[in-house]
Amino acid sequence: MTSETMEKTSSASATGGGGVVGSGGKNPLVVASSALILGLWVAAQVVDVPYVVNLMILVTSILYVACHCSLILREEQALARGELPPGETLKEGEDAPMVAAAAGETMRKEDAMTFPLLGSASLFSLYCAFKFFDRDTVNLIISAYFCLVGCAALTVSFSPVLSSMLPFLPSTRYEKEIKINHPLPAFLGGESPWDLSVDCTAADALSFLCSVAFSVVYFRTKHWALNNVLGIAFCLQGIERFSLGTYKIGAILLVGLFFYDIFWVFGTDVMVTVAKNLDGPIKILFPRSLVPNPITNKIECSLLGLGDIVIPGFFLALLLRFDAHRHDVCPFPTNVHASFPKPYFHSCLLAYVAGLGTTLYVMIAFEAAQPALLYLVPACLGSSLICALVRGELKELFEYSEEEEEEEEEEEEEGEGEGKKEEKKEGEGPKKPKAKKED
């Protein structure tokens, strides 16, 4: 994981990201966080690491690394807007380079408003599946699905590591367009044809084979350490590649999930039942002891759902990119180690850690499951708003948007509509006065 972070910045020049970092400069916190993720994963299998300490450090490290890797979205968004790296110009008749739509996803306001409802439907469906069907069969289907998705996440995560560790691998890209038509309706099979095109390097292919082998071992053993590798990969790739778009959309999403979490944990037994019965990498497990329980012969673990890491992680990553925007950090080329003031990110991260600590304290004190977002949402929203008020930048925070391309298109459409109306009026000419009737 440390190698992955370094690989992503190996091509960045010393002046990338604002020109603050010197040649070969690394952000020590990013490097240390990457090392802690790997170190804690290994140490927890050998020695009894207190699960509270393990949880707090591991989650904080994941967020720190993932949010800084998300700075790559600034470069992709700039390219999508038609911007060019410094020193590059377009030849006559040449179009500006555009990034693929799948490079990064941006949430819309409508998505944020419906997300808690869709999440509730999915959660209750899983609850009903465990209530009315065989638990092992349900877990078999879900595990197979997550193994397939996990292969993709692990491939993307391992490929940069293999490229740096095995420099002798050929860097030539293999491209093959494969499109398959299907007769299924769109709501079942998606749009036709299916695009199964291949675009990879030798490192990608080798990483895919390793990921397949890893997923098979996990599917057969369900070992908690392998579960955590998949969970960490999901967190890193999700936060790195997803944008909330604006602060307002982020606030809508967090507030909606705030009530979602409270209702399903305190109001029903649905959340707890699904969390305990679902045997898949939707959570990170923290062993309480490496000695198996004599009755069940299994290691007892505490857990934290990925949603309690990823959802606040989206918000933290947005604030980090806002910090970069406020201090005019150049998006070309992306440098995750770039040094610039990060008041919003650091204040929100500290508030997140405090909220997570409060969650654990209340859970241990009352010996009952707690909705983590009950404490994390006020911490994240409150800290960012207080920071903006103190700095006098509340307006800038609310106006910051990573959806500029869509906004510009809407403005152009409105302008074209108004232009057509004006042309129509000019074409009609002045209206002639009606002749009065003679008596």
Side-chain angles (χ1 to χ4, degrees):
M1 293 169 189
T2 306
S3 301
E4 175 192 359
T5 303
M6 293 182 179
E7 175 68 17
K8 288 181 179 177
T9 59
S10 60
S11 61
S13 65
T15 57
V20 184
V21 178
S23 178
K26 302 293 182 182
N27 183 334
L29 290 177
V30 173
V31 175
S33 297
S34 302
L36 280 171
I37 294 172
L38 179 60
L40 280 172
W41 181 79
V42 173
Q45 300 175 62
V46 181
V47 297
D48 282 327
V49 181
Y51 77 93
V52 174
V53 175
N54 190 357
L55 188 153
M56 295 289 289
I57 297 177
L58 182 62
V59 171
T60 305
S61 299
I62 291 171
L63 287 173
Y64 203 89
V65 173
C67 290
H68 280 79
C69 287
S70 79
L71 289 172
I72 188 67
L73 289 177
R74 298 188 69 242
E75 182 174 338
E76 294 173 357
Q77 290 158 2
L79 289 172
R81 294 192 297 268
E83 298 179 17
L84 293 174
E88 291 189 14
T89 55
L90 290 177
K91 296 180 182 179
E92 187 176 350
E94 184 181 2
D95 294 330
M98 302 295 283
V99 294
E105 298 293 333
T106 303
M107 178 171 279
R108 299 177 302 169
K109 182 180 178 181
E110 295 78 10
D111 299 329
M113 295 176 72
T114 57
F115 191 86
L117 299 177
L118 295 175
S120 297
S122 300
L123 182 66
F124 190 70
S125 298
L126 285 173
Y127 176 79
C128 292
F130 283 119
K131 284 288 185 182
F132 301 110
F133 297 99
D134 179 61
R135 176 176 177 269
D136 293 334
T137 303
V138 174
N139 274 320
L140 180 67
I141 297 171
I142 293 174
S143 295
Y145 167 76
F146 276 111
C147 283
L148 291 174
V149 178
C151 276
L154 290 174
T155 299
V156 177
S157 300
F158 289 159
S159 182
V161 179
L162 292 177
S163 296
S164 60
M165 293 176 62
L166 305 174
F168 56 84
L169 288 175
S171 58
T172 307
R173 300 196 71 86
Y174 173 77
E175 298 181 9
K176 177 68 175 178
E177 184 175 334
I178 304 173
K179 293 188 177 181
I180 302 175
N181 293 314
H182 67 85
L184 298 174
F187 70 90
L188 285 179
E191 295 183 0
S192 181
W194 286 328
D195 190 352
L196 304 177
S197 301
V198 178
D199 181 7
C200 66
T201 62
D204 294 333
L206 182 58
S207 176
F208 175 73
L209 294 176
C210 294
S211 300
V212 170
F214 182 95
S215 298
V216 170
V217 174
Y218 166 75
F219 186 80
R220 293 177 63 87
T221 64
K222 299 294 179 67
H223 194 278
W224 66 267
L226 303 184
N227 172 92
N228 285 1
V229 172
L230 288 170
I232 292 171
F234 289 148
C235 290
L236 293 174
Q237 295 303 321
I239 295 172
E240 176 185 343
R241 297 171 181 273
F242 190 83
S243 169
L244 290 176
T246 68
Y247 182 88
K248 295 176 183 177
I249 292 175
I252 292 171
L253 178 66
L254 288 180
V255 170
L257 292 176
F258 171 81
F259 292 106
Y260 158 91
D261 218 18
I262 292 173
F263 173 76
W264 289 114
V265 174
F266 286 155
T268 69
D269 67 335
V270 172
M271 182 78 78
V272 176
T273 301
V274 171
K276 288 182 177 180
N277 285 279
L278 184 56
D279 191 9
I282 62 164
K283 53 200 174 187
I284 294 182
L285 302 173
F286 303 91
R288 291 175 174 267
S289 172
L290 294 179
V291 179
N293 186 303
I295 299 175
T296 62
N297 200 31
K298 293 182 179 180
I299 293 177
E300 294 183 349
C301 297
S302 293
L303 62 91
L304 182 67
L306 297 188
D308 297 328
I309 304 173
V310 174
I311 299 300
F314 292 152
F315 191 74
L316 280 161
L318 179 74
L319 293 178
L320 179 61
R321 295 193 295 273
F322 175 67
D323 281 326
H325 168 76
R326 288 292 298 159
H327 295 91
D328 297 321
V329 177
C330 180
F332 301 108
T334 297
N335 183 1
V336 300
H337 295 286
S339 175
F340 56 91
K342 306 166 186 175
Y344 290 93
F345 172 71
H346 284 150
S347 61
C348 191
L349 181 62
L350 290 174
Y352 175 91
V353 172
L356 187 60
T358 303
T359 305
L360 293 173
Y361 173 78
V362 175
M363 181 187 70
I364 295 170
F366 291 93
E367 297 182 350
Q370 296 294 312
L373 294 181
L374 170 64
Y375 309 95
L376 298 179
V377 169
C380 292
L381 289 177
S383 62
S384 57
L385 289 173
I386 291 172
C387 184
L389 286 171
V390 171
R391 295 174 59 86
E393 297 174 346
L394 195 61
K395 181 180 178 182
E396 290 84 350
L397 180 62
F398 282 125
E399 290 180 348
Y400 175 67
S401 174
E402 296 178 345
E403 299 178 311
E404 292 183 16
E405 185 181 11
E406 293 181 6
E407 291 175 359
E408 288 174 2
E409 289 177 358
E410 290 176 1
E411 289 175 1
E412 287 177 5
E413 289 176 2
E414 290 176 1
E416 288 175 2
E418 291 176 359
K420 288 179 181 178
K421 288 180 181 178
E422 290 177 1
E423 288 176 5
K424 189 176 180 181
K425 288 180 181 179
E426 289 175 1
E428 289 175 356
K431 292 182 180 180
K432 296 180 180 180
K434 292 182 180 180
K436 293 183 180 179
K437 290 182 180 181
E438 294 181 1
D439 294 334

